[in-house]
Amino acid sequence: MDTSSTPHVSLKSLLGVRDFRFFLTGRFLGTLGAQIQSVAVGWQIYDLTHSATALGFVGLAQFLPMVLLILPAGDVADRIDRRLIVAVSYSLQALAIALLIALTHMETANVWPFYLVLVLTGISRAFAGPALRSFVPLLVSKEQMPRAIALSSSSFQVAVIGGPALGGIIYIWGPTAAYAACLLFFAAVAVAFVALRTQHQQQPVDPTMGAFARAMAGVAYIRTQPIVLGAISLDLFAVLLGGATALLPIYAKDILHVGPEGLGLMRSAPAIGAVIVNFLLIWRPLHRHTGLAMFACVALFGVATIVFGLSESFALSLAALFVMGGADMVSVFVRSTLIPLATPPEKLGRVSAVDLIFISASNEFGEFESGMVAGWIGAVPAVVVGGIGTIGVVALWMWLFPALRRIDRLTDVKPG
């Protein structure tokens, strides 16, 4: 990313945009709440079941509604006021949190009601995701956009860092305390987006195109863009195989013996690495050999995953997770820059929806995959095999997508 074309855009002038401040605040609080919820649900489910398979179903319950609804949600984001979409979605997430509090007070020993509530969470996130990811162009000028996207990414990563640690600390007072904090944050997000003054400009609808065709337009477009397809699918399979997030409660409780506070720190470590790399990319962007740099960092992610899987030292485990987060951030940065550069504005919501399918598959479905494999062969072998698989994906994708490997400057990328 070459920022030389926007040196006059100061941070002060960007933060002077009222609606952008509200957007940043809302996204930060929403991410913070989601991270706290993830720590609380993971620890509570494992405490109830002591089962890696049960942790895997936590991811599956959130993934299935995402994959089923995300494409129509992208079409909705291109046609309906995105403020309303986000406000309603976070109101549903607040309702889901209230139900988790009720289940906790009922002291139920069954976990299936928790999975049903997580399905509601997945539904709300399916609709919030495309709207949030295509929001920044509505709030700032074209000249402000590169720095606005970088600042939005930074605030997101800071929340990802602070959320798990805060969740682990709050969980000392029990899951109800953690869920109460989430409820407060999600309600605040809904209020922040209702308060936005920016009006969504409805895109014209082709009367000859049905709802299904509109929803699939993002998929059709990405299929014609091998660079975008290669970037998002690389992230999908690399994180799907190499993701160890779902197994962190097992490492915290049974392998490293560090409790919920340690679990919070482990969940924060990748985000700390990511936010440091993100700031480095803002001030010293990738000017040359961008494609090769991305492949190298994804391979490093695989190596760090193997180290984490084999580690019996808490300090070494945190270091490996830190490297995993930093390496993954390079892939995230390249992909999040490629998509708006290579996509016409009128299709950005639907293309963002497809990208979110890949992200959700690598995260939520990746948690399910990790839990299933760990239940079959054990947590440590599952993580190590996943890291090896990530390195294999890098080699295969370098062969399948030579155009992605040959990308030099991101600024050379144009819509197809």
Side-chain angles (χ1 to χ4, degrees), residues 15 27 30 78 86 109 130 134 144 147 161 167 181 202 215 230 239 242 268 282 335 389 395 414:
L15 292 177
R27 191 181 188 204
D78 280 336
V86 175
S134 53
Q144 291 173 317
R147 179 159 284 186
I161 293 170
Q202 184 172 343
V239 178
S268 294
I282 292 172
R335 188 182 70 248
K414 306 294 183 204

Side-chain angles (χ1 to χ4, degrees), residues 1 8 11 19 28 47-48 57 64 69 126 156 171 176 192 209 214 226 235 341 346 360 363 374 383 404:
M1 178 178 170
H8 60 284
L11 185 61
D19 279 5
F28 176 81
D47 201 36
L48 287 171
F57 280 108
L64 286 180
L69 295 174
F156 172 82
Y171 199 91
T176 299
M209 182 178 290
R214 289 199 311 271
D235 182 79
L341 288 174
E346 66 273 11
S360 181
N363 293 332
V383 174
L404 180 61

Side-chain angles (χ1 to χ4, degrees), residues 263-288:
L263 173 61
L265 289 174
M266 285 198 292
R267 291 190 69 95
S268 294
I272 294 174
V275 77
I276 290 175
V277 170
N278 185 57
F279 281 122
L280 290 174
L281 289 170
I282 292 172
W283 297 111
R284 294 188 178 274
L286 295 171
H287 289 296
R288 304 296 303 274

Side-chain angles (χ1 to χ4, degrees), residues 248-275:
L248 290 183
I250 298 175
Y251 274 83
K253 190 165 188 176
D254 297 338
I255 298 176
L256 301 173
H257 309 289
V258 292
E261 303 94 330
L263 173 61
L265 289 174
M266 285 198 292
R267 291 190 69 95
S268 294
I272 294 174
V275 77

Side-chain angles (χ1 to χ4, degrees), residues 40-50 54-55 58 111 114-115:
V41 169
W43 190 268
Q44 189 176 19
I45 294 296
Y46 190 65
D47 201 36
L48 287 171
T49 65
H50 301 282
L55 287 176
V58 169
V111 295
F114 288 91
Y115 296 141

Side-chain angles (χ1 to χ4, degrees), residues 171-190:
Y171 199 91
I172 294 173
W173 290 277
T176 299
Y179 293 142
C182 296
L183 181 61
L184 178 63
F185 291 150
F186 291 156
V189 176

